[in-house]
Amino acid sequence: MSNILFAWEMGEAFGHISRIEPVAKKLQAAGHTILFVCRDFKIAETWLKPLGYNYIQAPQSNDGYIL
């Protein structure tokens, strides 16, 4: 199966990730490997970790913007 990367770099709170997660769930159920790249690591830990998804921190500059 495929490796699927979801890059979630914009926005705050759960709005964006709550829209992406149902798609990721279906892809994972079909046997694909899912990885999220997230700007807000605390939200990722709260939302993604309990659901069993892998995630990593998006690289950021010193001013907090995505590189």
Side-chain angles (χ1 to χ4, degrees):
M1 286 294 164
S2 299
N3 295 311
I4 309 291
L5 176 98
F6 286 96
W8 169 49
E9 61 185 55
M10 306 299 285
E12 299 293 330
F14 298 106
H16 291 82
I17 205 164
S18 67
R19 292 184 189 114
I20 294 170
E21 195 279 325
V23 175
K25 184 177 183 177
K26 288 184 180 187
L27 289 167
Q28 190 175 49
H32 301 288
T33 300
I34 306 297
L35 175 65
F36 284 86
V37 178
C38 304
R39 182 178 97 173
D40 191 326
F41 209 64
K42 289 184 180 185
I43 290 176
E45 286 181 333
T46 301
W47 188 271
L48 298 173
K49 188 174 184 176
L51 297 174
Y53 292 110
N54 294 316
Y55 54 92
I56 58 173
Q57 176 77 53
Q60 297 181 21
S61 65
N62 290 337
D63 57 9
Y65 291 100
I66 303 297
L67 296 176

